[in-house]
Each structure stands twice: as structure tokens, then as C-alpha cells.
């Protein structure tokens, strides 16, 4: 028995759910890291081997460890979250963990520099160990989430990957050009579903834009909304503007704005009402007839700011 330790019952392994207390972000998934491709680089340019990676990997959640790094009396290390999850019992030797910090490993990690985990997607940054997570949270090469809002789609990737995915898997209409003229028809306008009616992708100025049109409940009132999202980062989205117009019977409703990046979730953009919002009574008035069927024609244009 190790000094100061006592045996405890065997515990199960847990999934990767540890948080990094210093960076206040969730640690990266190691599935993006290729051990055979990268070693760790010291501040003096010394390339280390793959064994260093294993030293810094928590044996329970398999994520890289950040302070405080804990160890048992026998020297086995693990991250803080997993220490709590295994009920203070070492998953390697089953001894009580106590509150021993592995300061040597924490200091060693501080001397290392690592490549961004999005290196394969184009990022060539080499970062200090304790700055890596913060960089990756905002890295412009990180994958985008699928912009389709009609399902709980978990696909991520770069823009070309998402374009192919939208076309092949979601059967989204693809158009070239910077103007659009869409007619939306709904047989029962009193039936409001919290789902996308239509998503159309437009290609212009060498970029892609997602035009959303949908019905949802805003408080007690059903509304219809059209808005544009840019398939790229916010810094690029701000270089463009767009306008939308809907109307009939000598009246029209217009909207002009800047497309939101798909970095912002569909729900976030919709709930912010950052687009053309049409109340149901007005939408039915635009539809004409006996108000028993919704017929809206939405026109618009995208342009690049000088």
C-alpha cells in the first residue's frame, strides 16, 4: 500500500466532460489531434516524442489536462473534473487520491507549444499550451455547423463540405445570382410550426448565402420571418448588405440589413428578429382573397459594400 493511501473500490471510466478552469471553455476533443503528425515543441525548439502527449492526457476523459492537475500517492495523474467523478479514487491503482497537485507536470506543460487542432483545416498557429484552448474557441478555421434549421443536424465542416451536404442530404435549392423572387404558399395559415419552411442557397460574389423563410410563434401571435445568413465568418459577412420586400394591394413591407454569419445559430438570429418579420394578419392581407390561404411573394437583393 502506498504511503498515506488506502484502497478503494474499483470505479468506472467516464466520458470526456472535463472543463478547463483557467480558460473557462470546454477542452478540445482529441479526435482532431493526430499524434503521429505532431509532437510538442518546447520554447527552445526541442521536438518531443509522443510519450509527452500521453503524460498530459487524462486517463479517464482522454482530454489534455490543465491546472489543477491531481495525482494519487503512486503518481497517477488525472484532471480535476474526473477526480470528482471517480469519487476521489484513483482509476489506475484504486487508492485514495487525496489533494495532491502535480506541480511538476503543470510547470512542464507551461513550457510547451502545440499546433492548433484545426491545422488540417488550414490553421498553422503554434501556441503556448495554456493559450491553445482560447485560440481554438475563436479560430477562423474551426468547422461550421450545418445551417439547415429543419432538423437536428449534427454535421460540421468547411463551407464546400456544407454546400455539398445541403444539396445532397437536405435537398436544398441552389441558385446563382444576387436577386431573388420567391412565392410562399401555405394552405392553412392558422397552423404555425416551429420549423423552417424553406431554405435556399444563393451564390454571388463568389460567396454563399442562406435565405430562410419560416413560421413560428412569437409570444401568443404567429408570425412569418425571412432573413439572410452568410456562409462564412462575421468579419466577411459585414462586407455585404441585403434587402427584402413583401407586399400587395398597393402596400409593401421592406427590410434592409447585414447578413448574419452562420457562426450565429439559426435560433439566435430568428429570436433576435434580425430580418423581415410579418405579422399573420398583415400576411393574410397581402395574400388577398378570402384570407383562408397564405400567399406571399418575397423579393430581395444582395450587394457588396464599397
Amino acid at each position: 500500500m502506498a504511503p498515506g493511501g488506502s484502497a478503494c473500490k474499483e470505479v468506472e471510466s467516464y466520458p470526456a466532460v472535463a472543463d478547463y478552469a483557467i480558460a473557462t471553455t470546454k477542452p478540445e476533443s482529441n479526435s482532431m489531434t493526430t499524434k503521429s503528425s505532431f509532437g510538442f515543441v518546447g520554447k527552445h525548439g526541442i521536438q518531443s516524442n509522443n510519450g509527452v502527449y500521453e503524460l498530459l492526457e487524462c486517463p479517464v476523459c482522454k482530454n489534455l489536462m490543465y491546472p489543477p492537475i491531481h495525482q494519487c500517492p503512486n503518481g497517477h495523474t488525472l484532471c480535476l473534473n474526473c477526480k470528482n467523478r471517480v469519487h476521489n479514487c484513483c482509476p489506475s491503482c484504486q487508492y485514495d487520491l487525496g489533494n495532491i497537485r502535480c506541480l511538476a507536470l503543470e510547470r512542464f506543460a507551461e513550457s510547451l507549444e502545440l499546433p492548433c487542432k484545426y491545422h488540417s483545416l488550414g490553421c498553422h498557429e503554434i501556441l503556448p499550451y495554456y493559450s491553445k484552448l482560447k485560440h481554438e474557441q475563436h479560430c477562423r478555421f474551426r468547422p461550421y455547423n450545418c445551417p439547415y434549421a429543419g432538423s437536428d443536424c449534427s454535421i460540421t465542416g468547411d463551407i464546400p463540405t456544407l454546400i455539398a451536404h445541403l444539396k445532397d442530404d437536405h435537398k436544398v435549392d441552389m441558385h446563382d445570382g444576387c436577386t431573388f423572387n420567391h412565392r410562399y404558399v401555405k394552405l392553412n395559415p392558422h397552423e404555425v410550426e416551429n420549423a423552417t419552411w424553406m431554405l435556399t442557397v444563393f451564390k454571388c460574389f463568389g460567396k454563399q448565402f442562406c435565405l430562410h423563410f419560416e413560421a413560428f410563434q412569437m409570444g401568443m401571435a404567429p408570425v412569418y420571418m425571412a432573413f439572410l445568413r452568410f456562409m462564412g465568418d462575421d468579419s466577411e459577412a459585414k462586407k455585404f448588405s441585403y434587402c427584402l420586400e413583401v407586399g400587395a394591394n398597393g402596400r409593401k413591407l421592406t427590410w434592409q440589413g447585414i447578413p448574419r454569419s452562420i457562426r450565429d445559430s439559426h435560433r439566435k438570429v430568428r429570436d433576435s428578429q434580425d430580418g423581415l418579420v410579418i405579422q399573420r394578419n398583415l400576411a393574410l392581407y397581402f395574400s388577398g382573397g378570402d384570407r383562408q390561404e397564405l400567399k406571399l411573394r418575397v423579393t430581395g437583393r444582395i450587394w457588396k459594400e464599397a
Side-chain angles (χ1 to χ4, degrees), residues 27-28 66 115-118 127 131-139 142:
E28 72 279 9
Y66 297 89
C116 172
K117 73 174 180 178
Y118 301 122
L127 305 149
S131 301
K132 184 171 181 283
L133 287 181
K134 185 176 181 180
H135 163 82
E136 290 170 351
Q137 184 182 17
H138 302 285
C139 179
R142 69 192 189 278

Side-chain angles (χ1 to χ4, degrees), residues 1-5 73-74:
M1 182 178 294
N74 286 327

Side-chain angles (χ1 to χ4, degrees), residues 138 140-142 144 159 204-209 228-242 257-264 302-306:
H138 302 285
R140 66 187 183 94
F141 292 98
R142 69 192 189 278
Y144 297 91
I159 299 303
C204 61
F205 303 107
K207 305 293 183 180
Q208 283 82 20
F209 300 82
L228 196 72
R229 297 166 76 199
F230 175 74
M231 297 192 71
D233 281 351
D234 187 61
S235 58
E236 284 288 310
K238 291 177 179 178
K239 298 177 181 178
F240 299 91
S241 294
Y242 75 102
I258 298 171
R260 296 280 286 270
S261 166
I262 60 171
R263 292 288 189 202
D264 288 338
I302 306 168
W303 66 92
K304 191 172 185 178
E305 296 292 349

Side-chain angles (χ1 to χ4, degrees), residues 111-122:
S111 70
L112 299 175
E113 294 180 340
L114 300 83
C116 172
K117 73 174 180 178
Y118 301 122
H119 182 277
S120 63
L121 298 179

Side-chain angles (χ1 to χ4, degrees), residues 227-290:
F227 57 93
L228 196 72
R229 297 166 76 199
F230 175 74
M231 297 192 71
D233 281 351
D234 187 61
S235 58
E236 284 288 310
K238 291 177 179 178
K239 298 177 181 178
F240 299 91
S241 294
Y242 75 102
C243 63
L244 297 171
E245 181 178 304
V246 62
N249 300 321
R251 295 162 177 82
K252 65 181 179 180
L253 191 63
T254 61
W255 165 267
Q256 180 172 322
I258 298 171
R260 296 280 286 270
S261 166
I262 60 171
R263 292 288 189 202
D264 288 338
S265 70
H266 161 271
R267 186 65 178 267
K268 180 179 180 180
V269 179
R270 194 203 72 181
D271 290 352
S272 71
Q273 303 177 41
D274 191 4
L276 179 66
V277 179
I278 313 162
Q279 301 296 330
R280 183 171 64 180
N281 285 340
L282 184 57
L284 290 173
Y285 182 78
F286 287 155
S287 299
D290 56 7

Side-chain angles (χ1 to χ4, degrees), residues 66-142:
Y66 297 89
I69 299 174
H70 288 269
Q71 69 175 36
C72 77
N74 286 327
H76 302 120
T77 57
L78 77 168
C79 69
L80 176 62
N81 259 25
C82 289
K83 177 180 182 291
N84 296 329
R85 288 180 176 275
V86 299
H87 308 296
N88 207 43
C89 183
C90 177
S92 299
C93 66
Q94 316 308 316
Y95 283 104
D96 286 332
L97 287 165
N99 289 298
I100 306 172
R101 289 275 295 275
C102 188
L103 298 178
L105 190 57
E106 291 178 9
R107 291 292 300 276
F108 175 66
E110 187 177 3
S111 70
L112 299 175
E113 294 180 340
L114 300 83
C116 172
K117 73 174 180 178
Y118 301 122
H119 182 277
S120 63
L121 298 179
C123 183
H124 301 298
E125 292 285 338
I126 302 297
L127 305 149
Y129 186 82
Y130 293 146
S131 301
K132 184 171 181 283
L133 287 181
K134 185 176 181 180
H135 163 82
E136 290 170 351
Q137 184 182 17
H138 302 285
C139 179
R140 66 187 183 94
F141 292 98
R142 69 192 189 278

